[in-house]
Amino acid sequence: MDAYPEAKIILTNRDVDAWYRSCEGTLLQARTYWVHGMLQYFDWVTGLVHPLRRKYWRCLFADDFKTNGKAAMRAHYAEMREAAKKRGREVLEYGLGDGWGPLCSFLEVEVPKHAYPRENEGGDWIRKMRERARLRGKAAVYKFLRFGLPLALFGCGIWCIRPMFSTTFDGLP
């Protein structure tokens, strides 16, 4: 808020219980998805994101979303409202179901002609996450086959022919 004093503040409100259920069905599953744990060692993007995700959960929820998730969300909302009030800033308390009207009015822009987007209502998030992980895994295997396997085969070849170049012969001191 201090970095951008002219920026409008929009606090996206969600019912705490609905948000919690949504996180349990999406973000919590992503956190515990075993493929991400494996991919972090083979895919550079996952290797960057996975540790950040772990730190994020540790900082926000003391690494226990089930116990601390709802309280953390309530505390965040209270902190944002208090910070805005302290700075004399107007806040739009916006619900995602409110549509374009209040949002565009607050931002002083024209309402778009197209319908308000309604992404992820069908619980498609997990399928997309798994598909992205599958594609990243496939890319990691390809990289290994392209670079790692030839290097490993070269190393094995050197290991196998090393006796031919040895300066020590059997039976000689």
Side-chain angles (χ1 to χ4, degrees):
M1 290 181 202
D2 293 333
Y4 299 98
E6 295 84 30
K8 305 248 181 169
I9 301 169
I10 302 168
L11 189 58
T12 307
N13 282 322
R14 285 193 69 182
D15 173 72
V16 174
D17 293 322
W19 171 81
Y20 182 85
R21 283 190 304 276
S22 175
C23 285
E24 273 189 316
T26 56
L27 300 177
L28 192 59
Q29 286 192 31
R31 183 173 185 259
T32 58
Y33 188 43
W34 67 272
V35 173
H36 288 146
M38 296 295 293
L39 272 177
Q40 71 176 324
Y41 301 108
F42 303 103
D43 176 64
W44 74 273
V45 172
T46 308
L48 292 174
V49 171
H50 195 68
L52 289 173
R53 183 184 296 135
R54 284 195 317 266
K55 183 174 261 190
Y56 176 82
W57 282 81
R58 202 170 27 253
C59 292
L60 287 180
F61 310 118
D63 218 15
D64 188 354
F65 177 78
K66 289 184 184 280
T67 302
N68 303 321
K70 290 179 184 181
M73 183 183 183
R74 287 185 188 106
H76 169 72
Y77 278 88
E79 185 180 331
M80 292 301 104
R81 288 179 183 115
E82 182 59 34
K85 183 179 178 181
K86 182 178 165 185
R87 290 162 177 79
R89 303 280 299 278
E90 182 184 6
V91 176
L92 171 64
E93 298 268 347
Y94 182 72
L96 293 179
D98 295 346
W100 288 120
L103 181 62
C104 293
S105 175
F106 182 73
L107 295 173
E108 300 172 357
V109 296
E110 207 173 295
V111 175
K113 305 252 186 266
H114 60 276
Y116 186 78
R118 305 195 64 82
E119 282 291 313
N120 196 35
E121 284 193 347
D124 206 24
W125 195 87
I126 291 294
R127 184 190 62 75
K128 288 178 181 177
M129 177 209 53
R130 289 197 169 139
E131 178 63 17
R132 283 190 301 273
R134 186 187 70 75
L135 292 173
R136 292 217 167 276
K138 192 175 174 182
V141 168
Y142 173 75
K143 285 178 191 172
F144 170 75
L145 291 175
R146 187 162 176 216
F147 301 107
L149 186 59
L151 188 59
L153 290 174
F154 178 75
C156 287
I158 296 296
W159 180 260
C160 290
I161 65 169
R162 72 173 165 57
M164 293 173 26
F165 300 103
S166 175
T167 57
T168 310
F169 297 95
D170 288 335
L172 295 176

